[in-house]
Amino acid sequence: MRYLLIFLLTIQVATAQDFVWTPGLQRAYTDLQKLRVQTGRQLASREPDNGVRLFVADYADMLTLVTSDNDRLFSQLADREDERLTALKHMDDNSPWQRVLQAEVRLHWAFVKLKFGKEISASWDVIRAYNLLAENQKRFPDFLPTYKSLGTLHVMIGSVPESYLWVANLLGLHGNIRQGQQELLRAQQDSTFGLEARLIDLMVRAYVLKFTDTDGQTLQRLVQGNRDNLLLHFFGATIEQKNGHSEQALTYLNTRPTGSDYQPLPIVDNILGDIYLQKGQYATAETHFKQFLHVYTGQNFLKDSHYKLFLCYWLANQPDARARPFLAQVPGIGRTTVESDKAAQKFAESYLKRGVSANQKVLMRARLASDGGFTDSALAYLRPYTEGRFTTAGEQAEYNYRLGRIHQRRDEPDKAIPYLKRALVLSEPGQLSFGATAALQLGYIYQQKNDRTKARSFFQKALSFKRHEYKNSVDNKARAGMSR
């Protein structure tokens, strides 16, 4: 009897120690969130072997893989997912951390697998993570760490194109954007995942909803309040660049923390190249793209960088013999997992097969400048032209769309409306992407004017375009716009 009692006490002590956030593990996780990966690994290695240490080690592996894009390293580390999940499953089932950390590990590897083109396996990880989090919510409804990733998944489910909703429902995935945002807001109160939840909420606003000036101010406060956090500076830059504020993105990158303590981020040079390309500083852009290719060992962004190097020469009016070789390499290198590589592949195939008109160079300069928020330059490129100077419906639609977006970015919605409407009309017969994106922007403009009827009609018009390369992202934003 005495030995049985000792055995039971031993089991209780063991399970009680399964999920302990020791001060050392807390410091390790904080360092990892700043992209101090090696320091985080070292701190974690000194701590007792428990479920939290497994999670922290897994987080370090995920950060290493997604920042390096190293295929060989991915092959070496891939088995660790199952090993860690098996270990976590055998830990204390009565702890709210057991399912949360299993879900986090699955989401880490889902993110990694997407980067390496393993979409099906990544999808199954997401589904299993959702089920773990949904179960944890039922068992421990007040446990805040559940809501960071559950909220993220509910936003993702709510963003699924309507034609695929039946698949989500069939798999037992339920949720909507508003529900997810409320859960992310709740998760921000958590001492462990609160910072991550705040960043995810801003990324949802940037990539799914509409990023506002207020959101930009919130992001700025978050970055400035964490000056030693490389991850926040990086995501701050990508968010601002995505939303047409490349000058602010440049500020975040130029003030980012550096040093041997931080994980190398080769992709920063690719982003800097993008920004200087938008600014029309082609020689500086070229330097950054070449530096990226010199140090990067992965397969993503190769097509994109070679395409952008072509643009540096082409837009600077260099001889075709200097520009074309970069574009000629695009079809045979890298992969088309990320959107920018897909766009590069499409442009290269079209240009190499048919060439482009001189008008395309004007439109490209205006597009890049407008995308970066450099609207004075963008307007100057297009001012000498009229719609009649462009010969094809595609060029005419793009001309009107670019002018509409320029005026919209300059906070001149009434000037933007006729151009965007004209782009929509020209695009409908051929189902061009400019029509879908113009309709989306018209929806936003009328939403700001509080004309809900017109806003909804334009969001529906955006959804009606069936064949274009930006359908998923446009549909997500249009559906989110209607839900508001």
Side-chain angles (χ1 to χ4, degrees), residues 101-250:
L101 295 188
Q102 285 184 67
E104 290 296 316
V105 168
R106 286 202 175 277
L107 291 173
H108 289 167
W109 287 95
F111 189 28
V112 168
K113 289 169 186 175
L114 286 173
K115 289 279 283 184
F116 288 90
K118 313 291 184 183
E119 290 89 353
I120 295 175
S121 182
S123 299
W124 281 114
D125 270 326
V126 170
I127 292 166
R128 288 164 180 152
Y130 172 86
N131 290 331
L132 286 162
L133 292 167
E135 182 184 351
N136 212 53
Q137 182 190 28
K138 290 178 183 176
R139 290 187 60 175
F140 307 99
D142 297 323
F143 189 62
L144 292 179
T146 304
Y147 293 97
K148 184 263 296 183
S149 291
L150 187 62
T152 305
L153 293 176
H154 281 151
V155 170
M156 290 170 60
I157 294 163
S159 305
V160 170
E162 196 167 351
S163 58
Y164 291 100
L165 274 177
W166 67 272
V167 179
N169 292 331
L170 185 66
L171 294 170
L173 306 178
H174 305 284
N176 58 66
I177 292 170
R178 183 172 298 176
Q179 176 188 5
Q181 283 192 288
Q182 290 171 346
E183 289 165 341
L184 284 170
L185 188 63
R186 189 174 180 186
Q188 291 174 37
Q189 303 168 36
D190 177 50
S191 59
T192 303
F193 291 151
L195 179 64
E196 199 174 340
R198 286 195 288 276
L199 177 59
I200 292 171
D201 182 54
L202 286 165
M203 293 179 73
V204 166
R205 296 172 187 274
Y207 289 92
V208 179
L209 306 174
K210 189 175 189 301
F211 199 71
T212 66
D213 290 341
T214 301
D215 296 329
Q217 292 163 9
T218 301
L219 176 61
Q220 191 169 356
R221 287 193 297 270
L222 189 62
V223 175
Q224 291 177 346
N226 295 271
R227 295 185 183 275
D228 64 342
N229 192 315
L230 176 57
L231 193 66
L232 281 180
H233 280 76
F234 170 72
F235 277 118
T238 58
I239 287 171
E240 289 291 14
Q241 187 194 24
K242 164 73 176 174
N243 287 278
H245 305 135
S246 286
E247 201 64 61
Q248 181 62 60
L250 189 59

Side-chain angles (χ1 to χ4, degrees), residues 435-455:
T437 49
L440 177 68
Q441 299 305 325
L442 285 164
Y444 287 146
I445 289 173
Y446 283 108
Q447 194 172 54
Q448 288 179 329
K449 289 175 173 289
N450 206 29
D451 188 335
R452 296 184 181 184
T453 302
K454 285 187 177 178

Side-chain angles (χ1 to χ4, degrees), residues 79 188 203 205 280 307-308 322 325 382 477:
D79 289 342
Q188 291 174 37
M203 293 179 73
R205 296 172 187 274
Y307 160 58
K308 299 288 177 57
R322 295 194 67 191
L382 293 181
K477 287 178 178 287

Side-chain angles (χ1 to χ4, degrees), residues 394-453:
E395 288 179 354
Q396 291 171 351
E398 183 174 0
Y399 167 77
N400 282 282
Y401 176 73
R402 298 296 168 208
L403 278 172
R405 289 292 281 137
I406 291 166
H407 287 299
Q408 187 182 11
R409 290 191 189 282
R410 293 166 73 89
D411 199 22
E412 299 168 345
D414 291 330
K415 287 185 178 180
I417 288 172
Y419 288 114
L420 292 172
K421 286 184 174 178
R422 179 63 178 158
L424 177 56
V425 169
L426 289 165
S427 298
E428 279 199 274
Q431 290 284 288
L432 303 176
S433 64
F434 302 114
T437 49
L440 177 68
Q441 299 305 325
L442 285 164
Y444 287 146
I445 289 173
Y446 283 108
Q447 194 172 54
Q448 288 179 329
K449 289 175 173 289
N450 206 29
D451 188 335
R452 296 184 181 184
T453 302

